[in-house]
Amino acid sequence: MGPAVASSHHARGAPVASSCLQMSGRELQRFHSLISVNGSSGCHEFTRLFDLGYGKFFLRGKTWRAHRLSWTISYGEIPGGLFVLHRCDNRACVNPRHLFLGNQADNMADMVSKGRHFGRSRDTRLSESDVYAIRFIDENTALKQVQIAKLYGVSRNQINNILCGIRWAHHDRRGV
Ligand SMILES: [Zn+2]
């Protein structure tokens, strides 16, 4: 195939880094060599991770979140404005069948950014839907923990606990 067709038609000029990505056999092999299949969950767990648990893969000068790259390898370009989410709640997982596209992130981020009315004191317990939204925002936007904390009016520690706690709870539940 020829060079990538200009993708300027994508909304608001958002970068579509995955556009027309074609990985060589060697690159694919390197990607797959970092996957460990979890027999009980069916998750394809990436073995090299970002701090918060997403798979991390370096490819041609760019550091990818491995689940996004996995989606791209399996299904093609990630449509502009959409986000790659986990059905399995396992951030390290890159099994394409555990991934799906979502478009709620912007709405949520927007909701939260307007959310000073949440008006929480620092150690207020967040609701389950808050926790879901926080995970969603963390997974799908560039917001840092400290920024999410500010939006929700809680401490960064609390955000960190939520993000890590969920991760550990997920793993613990598989009964060791
Ligand atoms: Zn999975």
Side-chain angles (χ1 to χ4, degrees):
M1 285 180 75
V5 174
S7 55
S8 55
H9 59 278
H10 285 295
R12 295 173 180 278
V16 184
S18 51
S19 181
C20 297
L21 177 77
Q22 294 198 343
M23 287 170 74
S24 69
R26 182 175 281 264
E27 287 167 339
L28 281 171
Q29 203 173 33
R30 184 162 61 88
F31 185 77
H32 287 294
S33 74
L34 294 170
I35 291 171
S36 160
V37 174
N38 183 312
S40 55
S41 66
C43 286
H44 297 180
E45 293 169 350
F46 220 64
T47 52
R48 203 160 288 170
L49 304 176
F50 286 106
D51 285 348
L52 280 170
Y54 300 105
K56 180 182 193 174
F57 190 72
F58 192 72
L59 179 67
R60 301 180 205 166
K62 182 181 169 183
T63 304
W64 287 75
R65 286 192 175 193
H67 67 291
R68 291 179 61 82
L69 184 57
S70 178
W71 170 275
T72 304
I73 291 168
S74 295
Y75 305 116
E77 178 184 340
I78 299 168
L82 294 186
F83 301 86
V84 180
L85 312 175
H86 287 96
R87 291 182 205 289
C88 57
D89 287 346
N90 181 357
R91 293 173 177 188
C93 180
V94 299
N95 183 343
R97 285 179 302 181
H98 292 190
L99 303 174
F100 66 102
L101 292 178
N103 60 5
Q104 291 301 307
D106 287 337
N107 289 341
M108 285 201 186
D110 185 52
M111 179 186 80
V112 172
S113 73
K114 291 170 180 156
R116 283 167 196 273
H117 63 274
F118 288 154
R120 294 194 171 85
S121 62
R122 282 180 79 78
D123 287 320
T124 304
R125 205 180 156 75
L126 295 165
S127 73
E128 220 169 291
S129 64
D130 290 334
V131 169
Y132 176 81
I134 287 167
R135 284 173 48 213
F136 201 101
I137 290 163
D138 173 67
E139 184 153 349
N140 295 286
T141 73
L143 289 182
K144 298 194 159 102
Q145 285 188 27
V146 64
Q147 294 170 304
I148 300 173
K150 195 177 275 184
L151 294 172
Y152 273 87
V154 299
S155 67
R156 181 185 174 279
N157 252 354
Q158 200 172 347
I159 297 294
N160 189 53
N161 287 342
I162 285 167
L163 297 175
C164 294
I166 283 165
R167 184 147 55 102
W168 300 134
H170 175 82
H171 285 292
D172 289 344
R173 204 154 298 157
R174 282 205 292 275
V176 171

